Amino acid sequence: MQDPSLCSLGRTGVATAGLLLGAAVQAQTAQTAQTASTPPTAPPGAITLHYQERPPYSYTTADGQVQGLLVAPTVRAFQRAQLPFHWVKTPSQRQLVLIQASTPSMECGIGWFRNPEREQLGRFSLPLYQDRPYVALTRRNASWPASRTPADLLNDAALPLLVKDGYSYGPLLDGLITQHAANVRRTSAESAQMARMVLAGRAAWMIIAPEEADALLAELGPLGAQLQLSALPGVPDGQYRHLYCNRAVPEALIERLNRVLGER
């Protein structure tokens, strides 16, 4: 799942940008997690990095550290660019509000897909990671037509698709979802709850990245054995996941991060 999915300077940004561009802050490889419900005061000049519990992309370990496929390249980029940051665990819809609103604090979400609507309201970095092609998560006891394309599946009213509201599944699937909106069910729930909704028959399938699928099925325990993964014929390679920052983060800082991300 978790599209999916995860920076602001504003009109007062010139002075803050100068402070940040001159800063040399040594970040740790994993930072102690905070939650959006009890947000800490950000260190002076630091960018708040928002993440969600979406193993293996991003998750909090037992000792409170933030790790994952998206976390490692993010930490590396901030360390090498010598930019201060701190982590806050934040639901995806709240992340969008913080990033797309005109706030003076610098806010970034990790792992967001790029699309034209979001580009109008925030700033994207170079990619942090590229997903493998999406698959379908369905009930194991269902008679699933594995050879049918996503277009065929979405055209079938007997096979309603469950999607996470506000998420992008890439140009191909987003277009099909819009075209067949009558056969789509939307929710603000996270991936584990979405899987339970599929099990309960509230939808026939959901779209998920293979990277997330194994962790999700393990999290569900015995319920996970009642679900199965199926390939989606014709689905291209997965999308790139980016840092998505509000416009209070100066372009100069995004460029510093991009120089590091472009080294890989």
Side-chain angles (χ1 to χ4, degrees), residues 10-220:
R11 294 182 176 83
T12 61
V14 176
T16 306
L19 173 63
L20 282 170
L21 288 171
V25 178
Q26 184 66 35
Q28 298 177 354
T29 56
Q31 301 268 321
T32 301
Q34 304 286 344
T35 63
S37 58
T38 57
T41 301
I47 294 175
T48 299
L49 295 178
H50 298 276
Y51 76 102
Q52 16 175 0
E53 296 291 341
R54 289 190 69 190
Y57 295 115
S58 56
Y59 57 93
T60 312
T61 63
D63 59 354
Q65 303 301 303
V66 185
Q67 295 185 2
L69 293 175
L70 297 171
V71 173
T74 300
V75 170
R76 174 181 175 273
F78 273 79
Q79 286 182 329
R80 299 202 49 186
Q82 297 184 322
L83 295 175
F85 67 96
H86 74 133
W87 292 107
V88 176
K89 183 165 61 177
T90 310
S92 59
Q93 292 302 307
R94 176 62 178 160
Q95 289 188 36
L96 281 180
V97 170
L98 290 169
I99 293 167
Q100 296 178 347
S102 298
T103 58
S105 57
M106 293 185 290
E107 317 279 347
C108 290
I110 66 168
W112 285 90
F113 294 148
R114 196 168 194 157
N115 65 30
E117 179 184 359
R118 292 173 184 170
E119 286 186 297
Q120 291 179 358
L121 300 170
R123 306 188 196 279
F124 282 92
S125 72
L126 288 178
L128 300 171
Y129 182 81
Q130 184 180 20
D131 283 353
R132 292 153 56 195
Y134 278 120
V135 296
L137 182 68
T138 68
R139 293 184 297 278
R140 186 171 293 278
N141 61 0
S143 178
W144 183 252
S147 62
R148 293 173 67 180
T149 66
D152 290 336
L153 294 170
L154 275 159
N155 195 42
D156 190 339
L159 298 171
L161 168 67
L162 181 66
V163 301
K164 185 171 176 62
D165 202 25
Y167 265 41
S168 170
Y169 296 90
L172 172 66
L173 292 172
D174 285 353
L176 291 172
I177 288 167
T178 299
Q179 182 180 349
H180 300 284
N183 297 332
V184 175
R185 310 289 182 263
R186 296 185 176 273
T187 180
S188 60
E190 301 297 342
S191 297
Q193 184 58 31
M194 290 176 68
R196 292 185 177 93
M197 292 166 71
V198 170
L199 276 174
R202 295 175 61 181
W205 60 299
M206 60 182 276
I207 299 167
I208 191 168
E211 292 89 339
E212 187 179 8
D214 289 343
L216 174 61
L217 294 176
E219 177 187 348
L220 291 170

